[in-house]
Amino acid sequence: MEQLDVAHWLTSPAGQALLATMPAHNVADAFKLSTELRERGLTPEQSSALLTQTRLRDAARAKFGERATRMFFTDAGLQQSTRASVARQHASVFQRAGVREVLDFGCGIGADSQAFTDAGLTALGVERDPVTAHFAQANAGCAVVPTDGYALLGSYESREGLWLDPARRDARGKRISHPEHWQPALSDAIALAREFRVTGIKLGPGIRWADLPADAFVDWVSVDGDLVEAVAWFGTRDPGRGATILTEKPRREEGDAAATSASATSAGGEAAQGDDDATSRGDLLIMTAFAEPLPLPEGWAVLLSSAPLEEGVLPPDTTVYLVPFRTDTEEGC
């Protein structure tokens, strides 16, 4: 069977019924379960698809919660997808701007389109990979066109809202650091953004300050202290820089041992244990103090904080976003 045929079977009532009977993913049981499925008359491709979806749905719970058990994924699509809470944040920005229609350009498995649809927006997804596009339509509950986004633009009349998530990994899954090597390149994405009233372009959180579009409001987003993305917004507010702090986990109680120990990760990727959480991504540093106050590092300026700061000190239970301190003669000011 061709991959697209398998995808159609998987989302059919018969495929979904079988998926509902699959046990939790367990590598040790995979061969036995595959043999049992084959004995029930399934093709090798169908058996493999069921096992793959079970594995991906289990992994997707971290991003989508219980809803992951009703969604369809590819490996690459799950890896690059927007977690549900962040996708809802994207939808809220469009709503506040009065947008009613959004073109999801390169929608992947449809996580953002799903949030747009849930928010009452009219979403249209476009995804060049036909299998991913089919899963996106099943996930998002809106139309998804399996084609290149640029091929669709000529027939897409609305220029109200655009969401664009450039592909930032190569065919082997390796992260592409240079924005002009993304698909589409950042410069092309920015040019396209200016054709729409409101546009959001998803960026890697470690993007260089010098690569940020000057006429956009760039918003860094963290979830439970983990910096997950930056978004360049056009048409929503005056150009500038900001941060959005989202919380999914229950608030840590005072005295909880977990609240006093976290990892600090440098840009080079070396981890160390400490009483704070500080992650440096290119030209942005996010830092969280849990149970104890922390001194702010030298050479960094405050971009945004979740609570008022004491002089030179980050109070307990506070997250701050910092950028390298620049004089007015340095590039990027």
Side-chain angles (χ1 to χ4, degrees), residues 217-222 227 237 241-245 284 286 303-305 320-321:
F217 182 85
V218 181
D219 184 37
W220 280 269
V221 181
S222 74
L227 185 61
R237 55 194 297 184
R241 309 292 180 252
T244 297
I245 300 171
L284 183 73
I286 179 172
L303 177 67
L304 189 71
S305 66
V320 66
Y321 287 71

Side-chain angles (χ1 to χ4, degrees), residues 121-189:
L121 304 175
T122 299
L124 176 65
V126 56
E127 167 58 48
R128 69 171 64 185
D129 178 69
V131 171
T132 306
H134 180 72
F135 286 162
Q137 184 160 299
N139 292 334
C142 68
V144 176
V145 183
T147 188
D148 179 84
Y150 285 100
L152 179 73
L153 283 174
S155 59
Y156 185 73
E157 296 181 357
S158 174
R159 289 296 186 269
E160 193 171 352
L162 173 68
W163 176 253
L164 208 161
D165 184 358
R168 298 181 301 280
R169 294 181 182 270
D170 62 19
R172 295 173 297 177
K174 184 178 179 180
R175 192 180 301 276
I176 302 171
S177 58
H178 199 298
E180 289 307 299
H181 296 161
W182 297 349
Q183 292 294 328
L186 180 57
S187 59
D188 294 334

Side-chain angles (χ1 to χ4, degrees), residues 16 35 78 86 99 102 118 160 162 188 204 208 214 241 274 300 317 326:
Q16 292 190 59
T35 301
L78 174 58
V86 179
V99 171
V102 181
D118 288 348
E160 193 171 352
L162 173 68
D188 294 334
R208 296 189 313 156
R241 309 292 180 252
W300 293 81
D317 198 25
R326 291 178 168 86

Side-chain angles (χ1 to χ4, degrees), residues 20-328:
T21 67
M22 295 287 288
H25 172 66
N26 187 330
V27 175
D29 295 336
F31 180 77
K32 177 184 177 182
L33 188 54
S34 177
T35 301
E36 293 175 354
L37 292 171
R38 293 290 305 280
E39 291 174 348
R40 294 168 62 179
L42 273 66
T43 68
E45 295 83 3
Q46 290 172 330
S47 300
S48 177
L50 289 171
L51 292 170
T52 297
Q53 285 304 309
T54 301
R55 171 177 60 82
L56 293 176
R57 284 180 168 185
D58 183 62
R61 284 180 176 271
K63 283 187 173 184
F64 300 99
E66 190 275 336
R67 194 170 190 170
T69 63
R70 304 187 300 276
M71 295 175 67
F72 299 89
F73 302 95
T74 65
D75 277 289
L78 174 58
Q79 185 180 53
Q80 298 174 36
S81 63
T82 304
R83 65 192 307 135
S85 62
V86 179
R88 289 193 294 269
Q89 168 68 15
H90 300 159
S92 71
V93 174
F94 283 114
Q95 282 184 307
R96 290 195 300 270
V99 171
R100 294 170 297 176
E101 298 179 338
V102 181
L103 175 64
D104 191 350
F105 190 106
C107 68
I109 54 95
D112 283 291
S113 287
Q114 184 182 74
F116 300 154
T117 302
D118 288 348
L121 304 175
T122 299
L124 176 65
V126 56
E127 167 58 48
R128 69 171 64 185
D129 178 69
V131 171
T132 306
H134 180 72
F135 286 162
Q137 184 160 299
N139 292 334
C142 68
V144 176
V145 183
T147 188
D148 179 84
Y150 285 100
L152 179 73
L153 283 174
S155 59
Y156 185 73
E157 296 181 357
S158 174
R159 289 296 186 269
E160 193 171 352
L162 173 68
W163 176 253
L164 208 161
D165 184 358
R168 298 181 301 280
R169 294 181 182 270
D170 62 19
R172 295 173 297 177
K174 184 178 179 180
R175 192 180 301 276
I176 302 171
S177 58
H178 199 298
E180 289 307 299
H181 296 161
W182 297 349
Q183 292 294 328
L186 180 57
S187 59
D188 294 334
I190 292 172
L192 183 58
R194 293 173 179 146
E195 296 183 18
F196 286 74
R197 184 169 70 83
V198 175
T199 295
I201 302 176
K202 186 174 176 178
L203 311 171
I207 187 170
R208 296 189 313 156
W209 196 266
D211 291 329
L212 300 175
D215 58 341
F217 182 85
V218 181
D219 184 37
W220 280 269
V221 181
S222 74
V223 179
D224 293 324
D226 182 23
L227 185 61
V228 296
E229 70 173 24
V231 179
W233 288 103
F234 298 80
T236 59
R237 55 194 297 184
D238 292 338
R241 309 292 180 252
T244 297
I245 300 171
L246 302 177
T247 302
E248 291 181 349
K249 297 177 182 176
R251 188 178 181 87
R252 290 186 173 98
E253 294 295 330
E254 190 170 317
D256 185 352
T260 62
S261 179
S263 65
T265 307
S266 71
E270 296 180 358
Q273 291 299 315
D275 293 334
D276 65 299
D277 183 8
T279 304
S280 177
R281 307 281 183 93
D283 283 338
L284 183 73
L285 176 71
I286 179 172
M287 186 173 178
T288 301
F290 294 135
E292 302 293 334
L294 295 169
L296 294 172
E298 295 183 1
W300 293 81
V302 176
L303 177 67
L304 189 71
S305 66
S306 62
L309 304 181
E310 302 172 9
E311 186 175 354
V313 175
L314 185 62
D317 198 25
T318 303
T319 296
V320 66
Y321 287 71
L322 306 169
V323 293
F325 179 79
R326 291 178 168 86
T327 66
D328 57 7

